[in-house]
Amino acid sequence: MAQNVGAPNKEPSDGYQLRVVQEVLLALLAKEASHGYQVRARLQLALGPLAEALNAGQVYVTLNRLEKAGLVSAERVGQPDRPDRKVYELTRAGRTRVLEWLGDTSWPKPAPAEFHLKLVAAAAAGLADPERLVADQRHALLAGLAAAQRAALTEPDGSVAGLLLEGVVLRLEADLRWLDTCAQYWTSRKAR
Amino acid sequence: MAQNVGAPNKEPSDGYQLRVVQEVLLALLAKEASHGYQVRARLQLALGPLAEALNAGQVYVTLNRLEKAGLVSAERVGQPDRPDRKVYELTRAGRTRVLEWLGDTSWPKPAPAEFHLKLVAAAAAGLADPERLVADQRHALLAGLAAAQRAALTEPDGSVAGLLLEGVVLRLEADLRWLDTCAQYWTSRKAR
DNA sequence: CTTACTCATCTAACGGTTAGATAGGCCGTG
DNA sequence: CACGGCCTATCTAACCGTTAGATGAGTAAG
């Protein structure tokens, strides 16, 4: 019956979504030529406990696509007693792209639009009580916030990963404040 | 020389990214069977000024994939003096999926990881001054915040779109606060 | 008559993301 | 010794999200 559109996505796990992986990999290669496994390790270092966001395969897929696009060049290097490596190096076009990226100040501007649409759709179809949905979401977010704060404490003081976690915490707090606004809105709307 | 990996992405414009479009469309169809154009209009209503995020084609692509997956069924309806419509209706599997979605409280947990990695990579490769990058980004974010606040004022009081814009504003404020933390971090790191 | 807009749908192609396959070497346990 | 489990290292198929742009027929304005 094949009703599994999002089946491969069965575990949303902790989508600390990344996007723009291409540019990130290019920038890492700008420091020094590396093979995929190494790049991946460097990325994990920078991401700290949020490294789960990065699927190993993604690094290789992206590197291949970059090679096809002529932004990097690859060379296979054999080693004794170890799997071969494929060492990637920036091309001139790649270097240009990195500099463009560094100068680009566009920002994702992500809104919690998904949840918002959930409320609107649920209310319109009478499928669920918006106030209940907000309350449930609030509960989940509080748990996430606590987890992030715990993780931040575990990080050594002044680590890069700690900085990133601070960003996660600030966002979650903002989202919680927004949920309060949502609650007010839908409560008053029910009253009408 | 085909260096255009991200060429189609030339204008990042205003990526108010959505994701989980599938579930949103399903939920809208839960209220009543509709054709693509109508669903799109309903979505734009709910998103207000953020509707630019939605490319028309995306609705049709998604509906087609949902049909292939057996979550909706389609029926072509001709009309005089107008293009045909394709009316979509939820299947039982589709209805199940919507209810699952409503009960799911997972949250994107998006961190501004992209910018963070930009700083890390730029500093490591000595390609740019992190403090400068932060300053530039701050400037861009302040402009975005002002635009969002302006848009919020334009919205009629108590509109759904205004609620969503409030979320955007809160997030941008949180991101700005995080940028301050970043500035401190990279300044103190330079001192060392 | 031309210009431009609304209705309505579709396509090709890209980038992000994932689960899982592959294949060798290392190490400790029973 | 054999076995399981971990590390190195890469790749694939298949999704989903997203975009620019094509198509084609009405309708309204100038």
Side-chain angles (χ1 to χ4, degrees):
Chain A
M1 281 280 170
Q3 105 295 3
N4 48 340
V5 171
N9 195 15
K10 51 163 63 172
E11 286 246 3
S13 65
D14 273 323
Y16 286 97
Q17 69 251 60
L18 260 195
R19 57 204 329 90
V20 202
V21 172
Q22 292 197 6
E23 275 81 0
V24 172
L25 292 191
L26 285 177
L28 287 176
L29 289 178
K31 193 194 170 195
E32 52 178 344
S34 309
H35 57 277
Y37 198 83
Q38 197 175 51
V39 166
R40 188 185 151 223
R42 283 209 263 156
L43 252 182
Q44 285 177 327
L45 238 174
L47 290 173
L50 280 68
E52 307 142 19
L54 201 76
N55 181 294
Q58 196 173 338
V59 172
Y60 296 100
V61 170
T62 304
L63 285 174
N64 269 324
R65 308 221 260 228
L66 287 174
E67 190 186 357
K68 249 174 225 152
L71 298 174
V72 301
S73 61
E75 196 193 352
R76 199 149 208 129
V77 178
Q79 342 174 73
D81 290 357
R82 294 239 152 268
D84 286 4
R85 287 170 173 172
K86 232 171 119 180
V87 175
Y88 291 91
E89 194 174 1
L90 280 192
T91 63
R92 199 171 332 142
R95 235 166 287 126
T96 305
R97 177 73 135 250
V98 170
L99 292 179
E100 279 172 15
W101 182 57
L102 289 176
D104 176 22
T105 55
S106 69
W107 195 258
K109 268 189 213 171
E114 182 192 334
F115 183 69
H116 179 254
L117 289 171
K118 184 186 283 198
L119 291 179
V120 171
L127 284 170
D129 175 23
E131 291 185 271
R132 178 59 189 275
L133 290 178
V134 172
D136 288 352
Q137 196 60 64
R138 180 186 184 70
H139 186 253
L141 246 60
L142 280 171
L145 179 59
Q149 285 170 329
R150 228 179 304 120
L153 288 180
T154 316
E155 280 305 304
D157 218 53
S159 80
V160 242
L163 183 60
L164 185 48
L165 278 171
E166 179 65 21
V168 174
V169 168
L170 285 172
R171 276 225 172 161
L172 284 176
E173 287 172 347
D175 289 346
L176 276 165
R177 247 172 287 138
W178 180 69
L179 273 188
D180 289 342
T181 315
C182 286
Q184 280 175 31
Y185 178 89
W186 290 101
T187 304
S188 76
R189 168 157 281 216
K190 189 174 69 173
R192 273 205 281 120
Chain B
M1 277 281 170
Q3 102 297 4
N4 48 340
V5 170
N9 196 14
K10 50 163 63 172
E11 286 247 3
S13 66
D14 273 323
Y16 285 97
Q17 69 252 62
L18 259 195
R19 56 206 324 90
V20 202
V21 172
Q22 291 197 7
E23 275 81 359
V24 172
L25 292 191
L26 286 176
L28 288 176
L29 289 178
K31 192 194 171 194
E32 53 178 344
S34 310
H35 58 276
Y37 197 83
Q38 196 174 53
V39 165
R40 189 186 151 223
R42 283 210 263 156
L43 252 182
Q44 285 177 327
L45 238 174
L47 289 174
L50 279 67
E52 307 143 19
L54 200 77
N55 182 293
Q58 196 173 339
V59 172
Y60 296 100
V61 171
T62 305
L63 285 174
N64 268 324
R65 308 222 260 230
L66 287 173
E67 189 186 0
K68 248 175 225 152
L71 297 175
V72 300
S73 60
E75 196 192 353
R76 197 146 210 132
V77 178
Q79 339 174 77
D81 290 356
R82 292 242 152 267
D84 286 6
R85 288 171 173 171
K86 232 171 118 179
V87 175
Y88 291 91
E89 194 174 1
L90 280 192
T91 63
R92 200 172 330 141
R95 234 166 287 125
T96 306
R97 178 71 135 251
V98 170
L99 292 179
E100 278 172 16
W101 182 58
L102 289 176
D104 176 20
T105 55
S106 69
W107 195 258
K109 268 189 212 171
E114 182 192 334
F115 182 70
H116 179 254
L117 289 170
K118 184 186 282 197
L119 291 179
V120 171
L127 284 171
D129 176 23
E131 290 184 273
R132 178 61 189 275
L133 290 178
V134 172
D136 288 351
Q137 196 61 64
R138 180 187 185 71
H139 186 253
L141 247 61
L142 280 171
L145 179 58
Q149 284 170 329
R150 227 178 306 121
L153 288 180
T154 316
E155 279 304 305
D157 219 52
S159 79
V160 242
L163 183 60
L164 185 47
L165 277 171
E166 178 65 22
V168 174
V169 167
L170 285 171
R171 274 225 173 162
L172 283 176
E173 286 172 347
D175 289 346
L176 276 165
R177 247 172 286 138
W178 180 68
L179 273 187
D180 288 343
T181 315
C182 285
Q184 280 175 32
Y185 178 88
W186 290 100
T187 303
S188 76
R189 169 159 279 217
K190 188 173 69 171
R192 275 204 282 119

